[in-house]
Structures are given as C-alpha cells and as structure tokens.
Amino acid sequence: MKKGISPKFAILILTIILVSTVISSAMALQSSCNPSVKIKGIKPPPGKCKIGYQSECCKPGKSYTTYKCSPPVSGKTKAVLTINSFQKGGDGGGKSECDNKYHSNNKPVVALSTGWFSGEKRCMKNITIYGNGRQTNAMVVDECDSTMGCDDVHDYQPPCDNNIVDASKAVWKALGVPKKQWGQLDIFWSDAASS
C-alpha cells in the first residue's frame, strides 16, 4: 500500500514556500535604490569646473539624476571605480569631508557614493578594492555626492552615480591598471578587516 503526502503536510509546505516568497520580495523592494530627483545643469562661471582625470562639467539644461541611496553592501559589492584628485587645486573640489583636509594623490584614498558613505560612518576607515586581478586597500576620506551637483560646492560637476568608488591615482597604480586606461573600471569592494 502506497502512502502519499498528507493534505496537512502539503498545506504546511505550500505555506512555507509562500511566506518565503513574500519575505524575499519585500527584502528585494527594501534593498532597491531608485532615483530621487533630477537637477538641471547650468553653465559654470568663468574659471570654475576644473577638468582633469576625466571629470566633466555640467551641461546647461541637461537633466542629471540624483540618488539618496546606493545598492546594498554585501561581502563584495559591485561598483565602478573612477579617478579623482584629492589635492588642493585638483578636480575634486574642496577639502575632504571626513577630515576637512586635502590628500596627496600618491596616497590610496577614496570617496564613496552617498549611500555607501553612510553619513560619515566609513570616514577614515579602509575598504578593500578588487579589480584588474588585484586587490588593494584605500582609506575613505570623502563623499562622492549622489544627491547634488552642478553648483559651486561641487565644482559645477554632475552628481555622482550611486555606485561609485572615486579613487586617487595611487589606487589605480596599486591595481596595476595602465595609465591610458584610467577613468572607469568595474570593481568589487568590501569593508577592510580591522587589524
């Protein structure tokens, strides 16, 4: 005589599957990061918007998307590495937000998109960057602002995308990326282990 699955057991299994699906869907919605508002570019005043390291100036009338969040952080978070000058007079604008200082481009330092910067919670802490078959550590010293741009404070540059690790040339060198390829690189990053 064959025994089948009892109706009560089948209902229990279906209930567990349904609850798991609802929870997974809710978590996916919660972890999504949607655009906030759009801002319009304006023409920078003469002498403003320092161009270097492949930065760009806002274009008058162009719409730029802003974000108040970044994709969720995981063990290794996917991101785009960009290049920035953290030195006085460089294309990075003003002093770094974490310590109100400029930093040498020969030091491995980064700015993180607004959501990952997390209200200065990662200030002066190291992250590990994985790219080009190598890895290196860099200190978070600034925010790559995803919420605003095209103004004097942001050197009339567009807002950062929400998935940016904006790095000094020292980081690019440590990853062994040839100089002619500096600009944008798909990477992963994680919070560095504390020593």
Side-chain angles (χ1 to χ4, degrees):
M1 180 164 123
K2 270 186 162 178
K3 285 190 173 181
I5 297 175
S6 75
K8 287 182 181 178
F9 185 71
I11 290 172
L12 176 64
I13 295 297
L14 287 173
T15 303
I16 289 171
I17 291 170
L18 180 64
V19 169
S20 298
T21 303
V22 169
I23 289 172
S24 294
S25 297
M27 288 175 71
L29 286 173
Q30 185 180 27
S31 66
S32 67
C33 179
N34 296 315
S36 297
V37 297
K38 291 201 178 264
I39 59 172
K40 290 274 188 209
I42 60 169
K43 183 177 180 179
K48 296 290 184 173
C49 191
K50 297 171 199 78
I51 302 215
Y53 290 131
Q54 299 189 1
S55 58
E56 66 177 92
C57 298
C58 292
K59 293 176 178 49
K62 181 177 177 182
S63 287
Y64 295 94
T65 302
T66 64
Y67 294 87
K68 292 182 180 177
C69 54
S70 291
V73 174
S74 61
K76 280 189 179 177
T77 305
K78 187 174 179 161
V80 175
L81 188 71
T82 56
I83 188 163
N84 185 38
S85 174
F86 293 84
Q87 296 182 164
K88 186 173 184 173
D91 68 338
K95 296 177 181 178
S96 295
E97 192 167 334
C98 291
D99 60 1
N100 200 33
K101 294 180 182 176
Y102 292 103
H103 294 270
S104 167
N105 290 325
N106 295 317
K107 301 281 184 191
V109 293
V110 297
L112 296 178
S113 291
T114 298
W116 293 336
F117 187 66
S118 193
E120 299 186 12
K121 289 180 184 162
R122 287 193 168 88
C123 271
M124 310 314 286
K125 295 181 181 173
N126 284 336
I127 64 169
T128 303
I129 300 167
Y130 308 86
N132 197 41
R134 296 187 183 181
Q135 71 181 55
T136 190
N137 282 354
M139 182 180 290
V140 176
V141 296
D142 207 355
E143 173 184 13
C144 193
D145 200 337
S146 306
T147 65
M148 298 187 308
C150 300
D151 57 13
D152 189 53
V153 173
H154 298 92
D155 198 35
Y156 295 91
Q157 295 177 21
C160 278
D161 285 335
N162 67 343
N163 63 339
I164 299 296
V165 176
D166 205 16
S168 65
K169 69 180 184 180
V171 173
W172 287 83
K173 284 182 179 179
L175 292 174
V177 179
K179 191 171 184 175
K180 64 183 177 185
Q181 295 175 11
W182 291 3
Q184 288 195 346
L185 178 69
D186 289 335
I187 59 153
F188 291 90
W189 71 274
S190 63
D191 290 307
S194 300
S195 47

